[in-house]
Amino acid sequence: MSLNELPPLVFRPVIKQIRWGGRKLGSMLGKAIGDDSDYAESWEIADHADGMSLVADGPLAGMTLAELVKTAPVSLFGKYASLTQFPLLIKFLDANDWLSLQVHPDAGAYAGLALGVQVLLASLLMPLALRLF
C-alpha cells in the first residue's frame, strides 16, 4: 500500500488519569479503564509529547500519528502538507470535580509559535449544571 493513499484510520485512545476524573469514560463511552476512579481524559487523536495516537488495526497498525505525519503529509493534510505535527488534539473529558477555567490563545497569538496545537474539547461528560464564578 502506498502511503499516498491512506485507508480509513482508527486510533487507540490515550487514557489520562488526573485527580478530578471519574469512571464515565468507561461506563458511558466503553473505554477500557482499570479499577481506579480518576480517569479524566481520553485523547482520541493526539500528536503530543504527553500522549501519542497509535493506529489500532489494519496494515498500519502500531504506527504513530507522528510517523504518519512524516511519511504521508499530503494524504493527511493536502495543501497543508508542510505541517510537521498534527494540529488538533481531540479528547473526551470526565470532569468529576470542579475544573479551573482555561483560556487558550486565539489563532493570531499562535502565529509567532512554531506550532499552535488547537484543542477541541468534547465536553459531553461535564455535569449538566455548569456554573462559572
Side-chain angles (χ1 to χ4, degrees):
M1 170 195 323
S2 165
L3 288 184
N4 291 326
E5 299 174 9
L6 291 176
L9 299 170
V10 175
F11 292 96
R12 287 186 214 139
V14 177
I15 305 295
K16 299 287 188 173
Q17 289 181 261
I18 305 171
R19 69 159 193 81
W20 48 261
R23 300 210 36 89
K24 291 179 183 165
L25 294 173
S27 64
M28 290 182 70
L29 296 180
K31 303 292 179 185
I33 60 173
D35 294 331
D36 294 330
S37 61
D38 62 349
Y39 295 93
E41 300 181 354
S42 177
W43 291 12
E44 302 301 300
I45 304 217
D47 181 0
H48 193 278
D50 292 333
M52 180 62 60
S53 290
L54 294 173
V55 177
D57 54 26
L60 301 176
M63 192 172 208
T64 68
L65 183 53
E67 291 170 328
L68 286 170
V69 167
K70 288 178 186 164
T71 58
V74 174
S75 293
L76 288 173
F77 302 130
K79 68 180 182 177
Y80 301 101
S82 63
L83 288 173
T84 59
Q85 185 176 12
F86 197 82
L88 299 175
L89 171 57
I90 299 173
K91 58 182 163 178
F92 290 106
L93 300 179
D94 177 1
N96 199 37
D97 198 356
W98 290 101
L99 299 178
S100 61
L101 180 63
Q102 297 181 14
V103 179
H104 296 277
D106 63 19
Y110 280 132
L113 302 175
L115 176 68
V117 176
Q118 303 292 320
V119 178
L120 173 63
L121 298 176
S123 57
L124 300 175
L125 306 179
M126 296 292 285
L128 292 177
L130 178 64
R131 296 181 298 180
L132 298 176
F133 294 93

